[in-house]
């Protein structure tokens, strides 16, 4: 696993976990400021960026296991976890499994595990079907990844060199594995209430953009049955909140530091 590190080694640890189809570089607008006060740990998920890309292990529970093992390797007992997309999803799973390892969780631009199923959710899965399909997925994965990186940014554009930096460092077979695993073995148990009786024991915030199609329709405020979980909406932002509105994340970090 490739890991970018910044800040003093004796400072409070803060884990930054990207999603698909990105790498640790997604946090470039945040790391310099966070490194003034934190030991910043920004890994690349398996198959992404500069981490190894094994043929298996793209179940999201395995991604959570990878990240908890990384904390073990770095001798980090407890950390703030900020995740985007699949990095946020793996944060939910890690928080359920090992709440003692996570001080606070900020999940960016992904539904939480207790969002009631609605048929419109199927529309959100639309782009995932061709990506996961045998024969089709490997042929379209790179093109879709490059397109997805540009979607939902409003009038903003991601620099061509950044698009290339992300897309060139995720093999098509990894994209296929991420979404084939989700659609064939993870989404049905989720819809059937796999996590319905689970309770988060980590103070957690879901932060979503008002223009993000992935999280469209998720209610703002406290989440029923999850007293540690609440949803915040950032106006005028799509799916790429860490790049579009890094100051919102910095404010969340500062608010927790002030209250502790």
């Amino acid at each position: 696993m490739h890991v970018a590190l910044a800040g003093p080694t004796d400072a409070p640890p803060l884990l930054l976990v990207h999603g698909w189809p990105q790498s640790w570089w997604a946090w470039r607008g945040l790391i310099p400021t966070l490194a003034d006060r934190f030991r910043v740990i920004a890994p690349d998920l398996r198959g992404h960026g500069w981490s190894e890309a094994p043929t298996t292990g793209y179940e999201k529970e395995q991604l959570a296991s990878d990240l908890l093992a990384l904390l073990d390797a770095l001798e980090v007992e407890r950390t703030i976890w900020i995740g985007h997309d699949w990095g946020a999803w793996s944060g939910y799973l890690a928080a359920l499994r090992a709440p003692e390892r996570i001080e606070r969780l900020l999940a960016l631009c992904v539904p939480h595990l207790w969002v009631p199923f609605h048929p419109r959710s199927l529309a959100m899965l639309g782009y995932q079907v061709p990506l996961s399909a045998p024969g089709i997925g490997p042929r379209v994965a790179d093109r879709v990844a490059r397109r997805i990186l540009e979607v939902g940014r409003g009038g903003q554009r991601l620099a061509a060199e950044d698009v290339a930096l992300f897309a060139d460092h995720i093999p098509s077979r990894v994209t296929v594995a991420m979404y084939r695993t989700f659609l064939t073995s993870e989404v049905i148990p989720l819809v059937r209430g796999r996590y319905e009786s689970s309770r988060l024991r980590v103070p957690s915030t879901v932060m979503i953009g008002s223009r993000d199609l992935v999280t469209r329709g998720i209610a703002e405020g406290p989440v029923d049955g999850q007293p540690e979980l609440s949803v915040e909406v950032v106006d005028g932002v799509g799916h790429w909140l860490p790049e579009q509105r890094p100051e919102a994340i910095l404010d969340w970090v500062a608010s927790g530091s002030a209250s502790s």
Side-chain angles (χ1 to χ4, degrees):
M1 179 178 282
H2 172 264
V3 187
L5 302 171
T9 57
D10 60 349
L14 189 151
L15 183 69
L16 300 173
V17 188
H18 67 88
W20 179 86
Q22 294 188 297
S23 66
W24 75 272
W25 188 243
W27 307 105
R28 62 195 178 280
L30 288 155
I31 289 175
T33 300
L34 292 172
D36 286 341
R37 297 189 51 223
F38 294 94
R39 177 188 182 187
V40 178
I41 304 165
D44 288 336
L45 294 172
R46 68 166 57 203
H48 298 65
W50 288 264
S51 288
E52 281 190 63
T55 57
T56 60
Y58 296 95
E59 298 85 0
K60 310 314 170 287
E61 290 281 2
Q62 180 59 53
L63 299 185
S65 294
D66 289 348
L67 294 159
L68 291 170
L70 171 65
L71 296 180
D72 291 341
L74 295 175
E75 298 182 342
V76 173
E77 294 185 5
R78 188 172 169 85
T79 185
I80 297 171
W81 185 310
I82 300 177
H84 177 251
D85 192 80
W86 289 122
W89 194 277
S90 62
Y92 298 140
L93 301 179
L96 288 176
R97 191 192 312 173
E100 72 282 359
R101 305 299 298 275
I102 303 174
E103 180 180 338
R104 291 192 294 149
L105 170 66
L106 177 62
L108 301 167
C109 308
V110 75
H112 57 78
L113 302 178
W114 299 274
V115 173
F117 175 74
H118 190 281
R120 66 167 170 257
S121 304
L122 297 176
M124 186 269 287
L125 300 177
Y127 73 95
Q128 300 180 15
V129 173
L131 286 176
S132 63
I136 299 174
R139 295 203 302 269
V140 303
D142 182 72
R143 184 165 68 252
V144 172
R146 293 173 191 272
R147 174 59 181 156
I148 287 288
L149 285 164
E150 293 287 15
V151 170
R153 295 181 184 270
Q156 301 175 349
R157 299 289 293 177
L158 185 62
E161 56 267 29
D162 288 327
V163 172
L165 189 66
F166 291 130
D168 289 350
H169 288 87
I170 177 168
S172 293
R173 62 181 177 82
V174 171
T175 292
V176 172
M178 289 285 288
Y179 287 100
R180 184 175 294 168
T181 299
F182 183 64
L183 292 182
T184 60
S185 63
E186 296 174 326
V187 72
I188 292 177
L190 179 69
V191 171
R192 289 178 174 172
R194 177 178 181 181
Y195 301 103
E196 187 175 356
S197 62
S198 301
R199 295 293 177 266
L200 270 178
R201 289 181 284 158
V202 173
S204 303
T205 302
V206 183
M207 187 179 291
I208 60 179
S210 63
R211 298 180 180 177
D212 185 9
L213 297 180
V214 174
T215 54
R216 180 173 54 186
I218 295 178
E220 188 171 15
V223 175
D224 289 344
Q226 296 293 335
E228 297 284 4
L229 183 63
S230 63
V231 178
E232 296 181 7
V233 178
V234 181
D235 289 335
V237 179
H239 186 65
W240 310 103
L241 200 152
E243 294 164 301
Q244 293 184 284
R245 200 68 61 81
E247 62 272 18
I249 299 171
L250 294 174
D251 288 345
W252 179 88
V253 172
S255 67
S257 299
S259 62
S260 60

